Amino acid sequence: MKIKTKLFAFAGFSSFLILILGHFLYISFQSFNLAIENTRKVNQLNVSVFEKSLLLTEYLLYHEDRPRDQWLTRNGNQTTLLKSYSDLFYKSSEKEIINSLLEGIKEDQNIFLELVAIQTEGSESSGINQTIRKKQEARLSAKILIKAQEAVSATKQLLSMSAEDVIIARTTISRLLVGVTCTLFLIIGITIYLLWKSIVDPIDRLQKGARI
């Protein structure tokens, strides 16, 4: 086979191999960017859930209008936020957490509004009714605090999953970059070898034959 044919054949194979590696590298970068974006959004959700938990504690302590109104606003914002995440997360475990958070937000609002109503009616109660009201208030307060902690735990779990996706994507990119680098060195080495065998060796044989 002529040197020109060898080089063309090898160049075609090398180009095909580089294209495949480049395609996988591009997909890996896309996955990495998606994982980074998901982590950013989950961080945003995590902060929102934590702040809502603080507002709940403040309201339970002082029964003021400001933390009550802010809690209700934050609760509605979280619903919008979580619904916008439905297309970003594709794993069943992630979707399960998001769905559970959405269901929890609805339950939280119902409990919170019931608690507000009981506290509003408390000033008009007396005697036995006052005792019953306090028991109901304590029960609802404990229930919503537990659900707030569950929401914080769920968002932390989601954040951990997103961080793991970032690590996996970064590791994949690093391995592909090493693979591309090794492939390029291999291509250069094989090209030099082919040139050496096809050009230098015949010249050496000609020189040896001329000496004889």
Side-chain angles (χ1 to χ4, degrees):
M1 186 183 293
K2 294 181 180 180
I3 179 61
K4 183 178 179 180
T5 306
K6 286 182 181 180
L7 289 175
F8 271 122
F10 184 67
F13 173 75
S14 301
S15 299
F16 177 72
L17 187 60
I18 291 295
L19 282 174
I20 291 177
L21 289 173
H23 175 69
F24 281 113
L25 193 59
Y26 172 77
I27 293 175
S28 298
F29 270 112
Q30 292 292 98
S31 299
F32 179 73
N33 290 334
L34 178 62
I36 290 290
E37 179 64 16
N38 286 355
T39 301
R40 186 188 67 80
K41 288 184 177 295
V42 174
N43 264 319
Q44 182 182 359
L45 175 65
N46 191 43
V47 170
S48 178
V49 169
F50 181 72
E51 289 177 348
K52 194 178 82 170
S53 179
L54 292 179
L55 289 169
L56 173 64
T57 303
E58 184 179 352
Y59 176 75
L60 292 177
L61 288 173
Y62 304 111
H63 301 168
E64 294 176 346
D65 293 344
R66 182 189 57 79
R68 180 199 64 197
D69 295 340
Q70 288 184 350
W71 189 94
L72 289 169
T73 301
R74 192 60 55 87
N75 202 58
N77 290 342
Q78 281 183 14
T79 302
T80 304
L81 200 63
L82 283 168
K83 285 181 178 179
S84 69
Y85 291 174
S86 58
D87 295 330
L88 290 176
F89 297 94
Y90 56 90
K91 293 181 181 178
S92 58
S93 55
E94 294 172 337
K95 286 185 176 293
E96 185 178 343
I97 291 174
I98 290 173
N99 289 334
S100 68
L101 284 170
L102 279 170
E103 292 175 3
I105 286 173
K106 293 178 183 178
E107 293 176 7
D108 288 348
Q109 180 146 334
N110 291 335
I111 296 171
F112 188 79
L113 290 176
E114 186 177 352
L115 183 61
V116 170
I118 289 174
Q119 290 171 345
T120 303
E121 295 169 0
S123 58
E124 302 174 0
S125 303
S126 60
I128 297 175
N129 290 335
Q130 186 76 6
T131 303
I132 294 173
R133 183 194 65 80
K134 287 183 177 180
K135 288 182 179 180
Q136 289 177 333
E137 184 178 340
R139 178 179 59 82
L140 291 173
S141 297
K143 187 174 182 180
I144 199 168
L145 282 171
I146 291 172
K147 288 185 65 59
Q149 288 303 312
E150 288 175 351
V152 170
S153 299
T155 52
K156 285 183 178 179
Q157 187 179 355
L158 195 62
L159 185 61
S160 176
M161 290 179 180
S162 297
E164 186 179 346
D165 289 341
V166 171
I167 293 172
I168 292 172
R170 184 184 294 146
T171 303
T172 303
I173 289 172
S174 299
R175 289 175 178 174
L176 284 172
L177 286 173
V178 171
V180 169
T181 303
C182 292
T183 302
L184 288 174
F185 278 114
L186 182 62
I187 289 171
I188 293 171
I190 293 175
T191 302
I192 293 172
Y193 174 77
L194 289 175
L195 289 171
W196 182 274
K197 294 293 290 184
S198 301
I199 297 174
V200 178
D201 280 0
I203 290 175
D204 287 342
R205 285 197 294 270
L206 286 173
Q207 287 177 344
K208 289 177 183 178
R211 292 193 192 102
I212 295 173

